[in-house]
C-alpha cells in the first residue's frame, strides 16, 4: 500500500512507521512526507530514509483553504492510497476532507470523543479521569470528530503529571499506529457509507490494542 504522511513536529510516529517498514512488519511504501514546517524534526527522518519530502508552509498562505489546496495538490501528485496525519497540527477544511474521504486517518492523544483538540494530558488530569490513551480515527471536517478505528487505554496513576502521561503513552502510540496501518495494508478495514467496515463487518466500537500489540474487538 502507498501512503503519504503529514507532520508538523518531531516525527516520532513517522519514524515508527519507517522502522516497521524496515523490519518487514508493514507492507507499506511511504511515497511522500508533507510538512507545514521546514524545521520539523520528522523531515530529517524522511530524508534519511530517502522518502520524498514536500514543505508546504502555512505561513505562505493568507487563507486556510488555499493552504489546504496546496497540500492537496502535492498529495494528488503522489497518488497515495492512505494519508496518515501523524502530529500534523493543522485543522483541515471540508473541501480537503471530502476530496480524500475514506483514506485520511489521524492519531490523537486522547480517548476520543474525550478531550478533542490540544493540551490533552493536562485536561485529563484536570477532569480527574481514571484512564487516558490515544485514538486513531477517520478524518472529517470536525475537530477530531471522525469515527474512531482503534485505541490504546492506560490507567492514570496517583502521582502522574502531564509529562509522565505523555512519556508513558508515547511508545504505545507508535505500536497503535503501526498495528492500525497494518490493517489497511492487509485490506481488512475501510470506511463505507459513513461506517467502518472491519473484516467485512460493521465496527460498532473502537478496536483495542492489547499487551501483545494486537488489535482486538
Amino acid at each position: 500500500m502507498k501512503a503519504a504522511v503529514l507532520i508538523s513536529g518531531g516525527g516520532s510516529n513517522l519514524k515508527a512507521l519507517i522502522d516497521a517498514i524496515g523490519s518487514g512488519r508493514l507492507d507499506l511504501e511511504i511515497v511522500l512526507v508533507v510538512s507545514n514546517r521546514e524545521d520539523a524534526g520528522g523531515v530529517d527522518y524522511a530524508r534519511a530514509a530517502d522518502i520524498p519530502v514536500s514543505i508546504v508552509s502555512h505561513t505562505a498562505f493568507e487563507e486556510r483553504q488555499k493552504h489546504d489546496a496546496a497540500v492537496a495538490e502535492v498529495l494528488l501528485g503522489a497518488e497515495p492510497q492512505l494519508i496518515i496525519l501523524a502530529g500534523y497540527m493543522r485543522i483541515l477544511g471540508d473541501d480537503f476532507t471530502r476530496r480524500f474521504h475514506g483514506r485520511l486517518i489521524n492519531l490523537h492523544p486522547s480517548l476520543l470523543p474525550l478531550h478533542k483538540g490540544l493540551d490533552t494530558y493536562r485536561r485529563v488530569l484536570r477532569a480527574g479521569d481514571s484512564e487516558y490513551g490515544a485514538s486513531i480515527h477517520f478524518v472529517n471536517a470536525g475537530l477530531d470528530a471522525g469515527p474512531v478505528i482503534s485505541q490504546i487505554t492506560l490507567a492514570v496513576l496517583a502521582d502522574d503529571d502531564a509529562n509522565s502521561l505523555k512519556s508513558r503513552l508515547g511508545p504505545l502510540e507508535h505500536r497503535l499506529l503501526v498495528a492500525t496501518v497494518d490493517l489497511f495494508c492487509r485490506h481488512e478495514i475501510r470506511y463505507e457509507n459513513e461506517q467502518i467496515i472491519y473484516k467485512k463487518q460493521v465496527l460498532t466500537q473502537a478496536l483495542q490494542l492489547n499487551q501483545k500489540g494486537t488489535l482486538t474487538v
Side-chain angles (χ1 to χ4, degrees):
M1 175 165 283
K2 294 183 177 181
V5 182
L6 274 60
I7 63 170
S8 294
S12 64
N13 287 299
L14 170 63
K15 186 177 185 301
L17 292 173
I18 293 171
D19 290 347
I21 293 167
S23 67
R25 276 204 65 195
L26 278 182
D27 186 16
L28 184 76
E29 179 187 2
I30 301 176
V31 295
L32 181 66
V33 168
V34 181
S35 176
N36 64 307
R37 295 180 50 168
E38 177 73 51
D39 62 350
V43 170
D44 295 332
Y45 290 131
R47 288 176 173 154
D50 293 322
I51 299 169
V53 174
S54 181
I55 307 297
V56 187
S57 174
H58 61 280
T59 61
F61 298 86
E62 293 182 358
E63 298 177 9
R64 185 183 300 274
Q65 286 184 333
K66 291 183 178 179
H67 181 251
D68 283 359
V71 173
E73 184 176 353
V74 298
L75 288 172
L76 290 169
E79 299 183 339
Q81 297 161 279
L82 181 67
I83 301 167
I84 304 163
L85 308 184
Y88 188 62
M89 305 303 290
R90 300 284 297 168
I91 297 172
L92 298 167
D94 285 344
D95 290 345
F96 188 98
T97 56
R98 278 198 300 267
R99 175 172 285 185
F100 299 108
H101 181 76
R103 51 181 168 141
L104 187 61
I105 64 172
N106 179 53
L107 172 63
H108 181 72
S110 82
L111 295 175
L112 293 173
L114 296 176
H115 308 307
K116 299 175 182 180
L118 302 175
D119 203 24
T120 57
Y121 303 112
R122 288 185 177 83
R123 290 162 64 195
V124 162
L125 295 170
R126 286 199 298 266
D129 295 346
S130 61
E131 295 179 325
Y132 78 113
S135 305
I136 295 177
H137 63 98
F138 283 104
V139 177
N140 60 26
L143 176 62
D144 300 320
V148 177
I149 304 165
S150 59
Q151 291 182 324
I152 175 70
T153 302
L154 298 174
V156 177
L157 306 179
D159 60 348
D160 267 328
D161 58 19
N163 288 332
S164 64
L165 292 178
K166 181 178 182 179
S167 63
R168 196 158 68 249
L169 181 62
L172 297 176
E173 265 188 350
H174 302 160
R175 292 170 63 184
L176 177 68
L177 181 60
V178 170
T180 304
V181 170
D182 186 49
L183 296 181
F184 286 91
C185 294
R186 296 175 184 273
H187 303 284
E188 293 182 348
I189 201 155
R190 66 185 189 277
Y191 192 29
E192 186 176 285
N193 298 324
E194 307 307 318
Q195 293 179 313
I196 298 175
I197 309 298
Y198 171 62
K199 295 184 176 180
K200 300 182 180 180
Q201 301 291 324
V202 175
L203 188 66
T204 57
Q205 60 185 15
L207 299 170
Q208 295 292 320
L209 189 73
N210 62 27
Q211 292 183 347
K212 296 180 180 179
T214 303
L215 287 167
T216 59
V217 177

